[in-house]
Amino acid sequence: MILTVNGDQVEIPEAIETITELLQHFKLYDKVIIVEKNGEILEKAKHSESLISDKDSIELVHFVGGG
Amino acid sequence: MIIGAGALGTGSAEMLVRAGIGKITLADRDYVEWSNLQRQQLYTEEEAEQRTPKAVAAKRRLSAINAEVDIRSHVMDVSVEEMERLIEGVDLILDASDNFDIRMVINDISQKYSIPWIYSACVGSYGISYTILPGETPCLNCLLEEVPMGGITCDTVGIISPAVQMVLSFQISEALKILVEDRLHLRNKLVSFDLWKNHQSTIKVDMLKKADCLSCGAERSYPYLSFSNQTKTAVLCGRDTVQIRPSQRLDRDLESLDKILSKRKGEVKRNPYLLSFSTSNHRLVVFKDGRVLIHGTKSIAEAKTLYHRYLG
Ligand SMILES: [Zn+2]
């Protein structure tokens, strides 16, 4: 399926169904991250049940510490 | 007030001083190293050579840029006690630190005294910034469901200076709006970007404000201002260095320490602010306020052993 992630069109394997799986796919699971799907923020507790589908627009913002 | 005088701290201080801000307070615990010169724009090779504390070097350069600005500069590891002392009269706190321990303290102080602050950070080609207005926006504790641990900052990937400048542009634009009281034009969104991957996101995070947040909610307790949450030892970002901070501030006599350590195997160097003692595998840097940086280890236990071996 095709998603828009941070503005880029990306092809994602069909096996990926939830936000949690998507974060694993991008190797972002160990980061503190804010996920927005189609303009709506998803709290962390909902990542594992939130389904993704073709043409979804996802914004991923992770927190870093350097400065 | 700017917390930290590394890449973000030197950049934001220079912009604000050139803009003619009235008074600026700057605090940093570290000294200038060669690797800093790639991006920490107020420092020179000579200061790296001499291991000048960043707060001292920054003040010297900033005063030369604009002598009319009242610059208060402190060589200190800012934590709760220091923050409580420095906060009087401050209109805005700029985060230019390199760790979340201090950011959580800044966040609680900001809520306690109702002073806005701007979270900013960068690593690699990535950067992030968010403006926190007490009583209006979510606070950092609302946004972070867990506090990111050291690993996230300690990338060995380094940082490109355009990422620093980009975060600075976001941070200082917001700072100027707050300082001239034009809150209508504040961004009100969490912004992040990756200059290498050509990404940028701005997302609205208002809904993450938590009514029961311990830092900004109705029944707040400012958890990060309490003693038990303060770090006394810290592994510093990507530097193979551990900092040990005595539980009480002390005024260490570097001259007599010099005499003691000179009798041991190793090399002692000293300037008015700090003393550096190198052994074959480690280097201890002792500051006048009692803090010690132990280079050459990531292990807190090993660092403590070395600390007690050489400093009692
Ligand atoms: Zn909060």
Side-chain angles (χ1 to χ4, degrees):
Chain A
M1 93 190 103
I2 306 281
L3 301 178
T4 305
V5 178
N6 291 348
D8 280 347
Q9 302 239 311
V10 253
E11 176 140 24
I12 301 293
E14 297 294 329
I16 293 172
E17 293 179 338
T18 66
I19 290 291
T20 301
E21 288 163 7
L22 184 72
L23 294 180
Q24 276 163 357
H25 176 72
F26 286 126
K27 302 194 169 59
L28 289 169
Y29 45 84
D30 60 343
K31 306 226 190 237
V32 175
I33 198 159
I34 292 184
V35 180
E36 189 190 71
K37 187 179 87 173
N38 302 328
E40 215 172 291
I41 291 187
L42 298 171
E43 281 170 80
K44 198 177 174 196
K46 292 181 185 153
H47 289 182
S48 62
E49 61 199 50
S50 176
L51 299 174
I52 47 178
S53 45
D54 197 38
K55 298 198 176 64
D56 273 350
S57 174
I58 313 271
E59 298 284 334
L60 303 173
V61 174
H62 66 273
F63 285 86
V64 294
Chain B
M1 174 161 73
I2 302 175
I3 302 301
L8 293 177
T10 52
S12 54
E14 181 165 349
M15 283 193 215
L16 292 172
V17 163
R18 285 188 188 276
I21 194 172
K23 176 179 164 187
I24 197 163
T25 301
L26 193 61
D28 192 279
R29 64 182 174 193
D30 223 336
Y31 57 89
V32 180
E33 291 185 89
W34 290 97
S35 64
N36 301 153
L37 302 180
Q38 169 251 9
R39 62 191 181 284
Q40 303 188 12
Q41 64 192 57
L42 296 175
Y43 309 135
T44 61
E45 293 189 340
E46 194 188 334
E47 286 154 347
E49 183 74 43
Q50 297 185 347
R51 299 186 175 128
T52 310
K54 291 182 179 178
V56 173
K59 179 176 175 157
R60 198 153 57 198
R61 176 72 184 139
L62 292 168
S63 304
I65 288 171
N66 186 343
E68 287 181 5
V69 178
D70 178 359
I71 300 160
R72 316 277 172 101
S73 177
H74 305 273
V75 184
M76 63 162 59
D77 180 37
V78 176
S79 191
V80 178
E81 185 201 329
E82 294 78 13
M83 197 79 90
E84 296 265 13
R85 237 172 332 122
L86 297 179
I87 197 69
E88 209 191 311
V90 168
D91 298 310
L92 171 67
I93 307 167
L94 296 182
D95 164 29
S97 72
D98 62 359
N99 67 85
F100 279 95
D101 291 335
I102 185 62
R103 288 193 177 98
M104 300 318 285
V105 173
I106 295 174
N107 187 59
D108 275 3
I109 285 280
S110 144
Q111 294 296 330
K112 182 174 172 187
Y113 293 96
S114 204
I115 296 167
W117 76 282
I118 306 176
Y119 158 67
S120 295
C122 44
V123 66
S125 51
Y126 182 84
I128 180 168
S129 186
Y130 185 63
T131 306
I132 293 167
L133 306 173
E136 294 178 40
T137 68
C139 77
L140 191 65
N141 202 2
C142 294
L143 298 188
L144 302 176
E145 290 182 42
E146 56 203 287
V147 177
M149 295 315 289
I152 203 163
T153 72
C154 292
D155 285 54
T156 44
V157 299
I159 172 138
I160 57 167
S161 62
V164 174
Q165 298 300 325
M166 186 83 170
V167 176
L168 284 171
S169 297
F170 283 119
Q171 187 183 44
I172 302 303
S173 302
E174 292 281 281
L176 293 174
K177 294 176 208 172
I178 289 173
L179 294 172
V180 303
E181 296 178 1
D182 183 10
R183 294 205 175 195
L184 266 179
H185 285 95
L186 286 170
R187 193 180 57 244
N188 293 317
K189 285 178 177 172
L190 176 66
V191 65
S192 75
F193 61 83
D194 190 318
L195 291 173
W196 212 263
K197 296 179 184 160
N198 312 305
H199 290 160
Q200 182 168 321
S201 293
T202 47
I203 63 179
K204 214 164 168 52
V205 291
D206 295 2
M207 66 151 290
L208 291 174
K209 189 165 174 65
K210 296 184 175 67
D212 60 353
C213 173
L214 292 176
S215 296
C216 74
E219 298 199 21
R220 51 180 75 185
S221 59
Y222 307 123
Y224 294 95
L225 301 186
S226 73
F227 184 79
S228 55
N229 276 325
Q230 289 178 42
T231 311
K232 298 296 173 214
T233 54
V235 182
L236 300 192
C237 179
R239 297 206 1 220
D240 214 17
T241 299
V242 173
Q243 170 177 269
I244 296 182
R245 179 191 153 100
S247 51
Q248 282 174 349
R249 264 159 53 87
L250 42 103
D251 194 5
R252 203 181 267 283
D253 182 350
L254 297 179
E255 200 178 327
S256 53
L257 185 64
D258 189 339
K259 283 188 191 129
I260 295 165
L261 290 175
S262 295
K263 293 187 191 120
R264 306 191 68 136
K265 234 174 139 179
E267 189 195 358
V268 183
K269 281 188 187 163
R270 181 159 63 93
N271 70 26
Y273 316 99
L274 55 86
L275 175 149
S276 154
F277 175 65
S278 312
T279 66
S280 48
N281 296 320
H282 300 94
R283 191 157 55 86
L284 278 71
V285 176
V286 183
F287 287 82
K288 265 194 91 57
D289 66 0
R291 279 181 305 117
V292 179
L293 298 180
I294 297 171
H295 300 286
T297 180
K298 281 193 181 91
S299 152
I300 286 177
E302 187 185 18
K304 280 188 172 164
T305 306
L306 291 162
Y307 178 90
H308 293 299
R309 177 182 303 161
Y310 294 112
L311 303 169

